[in-house]
Structure formats: structure tokens, C-alpha cells
Amino acid sequence: MELNGKATSTGTSGDSSRSLDQIDSARTAAHNTVDKIADAARPAVDRLASGAHRSVDKISGFAGTAAQTFIQRKEKVSVAGAELVEDCRDYVKANPLTSVGIAAAAGFIISRLLAFRSGR
């Protein structure tokens, strides 16, 4: 209501005080509920985080082991390849005519196979 350009309240101050008390009480109840939910969820979140950490550690361990195995196998293959090349070099030096004959036969066979595959 308005009298002489000033607004006046139609309700009493007791009504507004009671409304504020209800709002405050609802706010407190909501905070308490949120706190209860957070407290209840915390152990579950901690268990999930702990399990995730263990899984990451296991996967990391497996990956590390796999990488070490791969490096070891790579070194073995490199050594075996170098030994094979050295053995072939020694054979060619010891048997040059036989090596030329083997190379010629291999070249002939490969050229026939490629010609056969291309339909000639």
C-alpha cells in the first residue's frame, strides 16, 4: 500500500521474521544433508581412488617389463643379424665361385617368380 508516496507493508514484522527463520532452517537442513552425503560418499571415493592407483601401478609394471623384454629381444636380434652377415661374408671370401653361382641361381628364380606373378 502507498501513502503519501511511501510504501507500507501490509504484513507484520512477525510474518517476515518467521519466513526468514524458515528459510534459515531450510538452508541449515540442506547444508546438513549435503554434509551427510559427502561423509557417506568419502569412503567409497577413497576405495575407488585406491583401486585406481593399484591398477595404474600394475599396468605400469607390466609396461615396464614388456619394454625391458622388447629391448632385450631387439638386442638379441641385432646381434644375430650381425653374426649372420659376418658368417655370409666369411663364406663368400672362402668360396667366391660358389657364392656367385648361388647368387645367379637365386636371381634367376626370383625373376621367374616375379614374371609369373605379373602374368608374363
Side-chain angles (χ1 to χ4, degrees):
M1 211 188 269
E2 196 173 318
L3 297 173
N4 298 331
K6 295 184 180 179
T8 60
S9 172
T10 57
T12 64
S13 64
D15 289 342
S16 61
S17 176
R18 191 171 11 158
S19 294
L20 289 175
D21 287 343
Q22 288 175 343
I23 290 172
D24 190 44
S25 147
R27 180 181 59 83
T28 302
H31 279 290
N32 290 339
T33 302
V34 168
D35 289 341
K36 286 178 185 177
I37 291 171
D39 289 341
R42 194 165 286 122
V45 170
D46 290 344
R47 280 193 310 273
L48 287 173
S50 178
H53 284 293
R54 282 192 304 273
S55 296
V56 167
D57 291 343
K58 284 182 182 179
I59 291 170
S60 175
F62 291 144
T65 302
Q68 288 174 346
T69 302
F70 177 75
I71 290 168
Q72 290 170 351
R73 299 274 168 89
K74 179 183 166 210
E75 290 173 0
K76 286 181 181 180
V77 167
S78 295
V79 168
E83 289 175 357
L84 179 63
V85 168
E86 187 63 32
D87 291 346
C88 288
R89 185 177 293 131
D90 291 342
Y91 182 81
V92 169
K93 285 180 183 178
N95 305 301
L97 292 178
T98 306
S99 299
V100 170
I102 292 172
F108 178 75
I109 292 170
I110 291 173
S111 70
R112 298 306 271 165
L113 289 173
L114 291 175
F116 178 72
R117 286 188 76 195
S118 66
R120 292 182 186 171

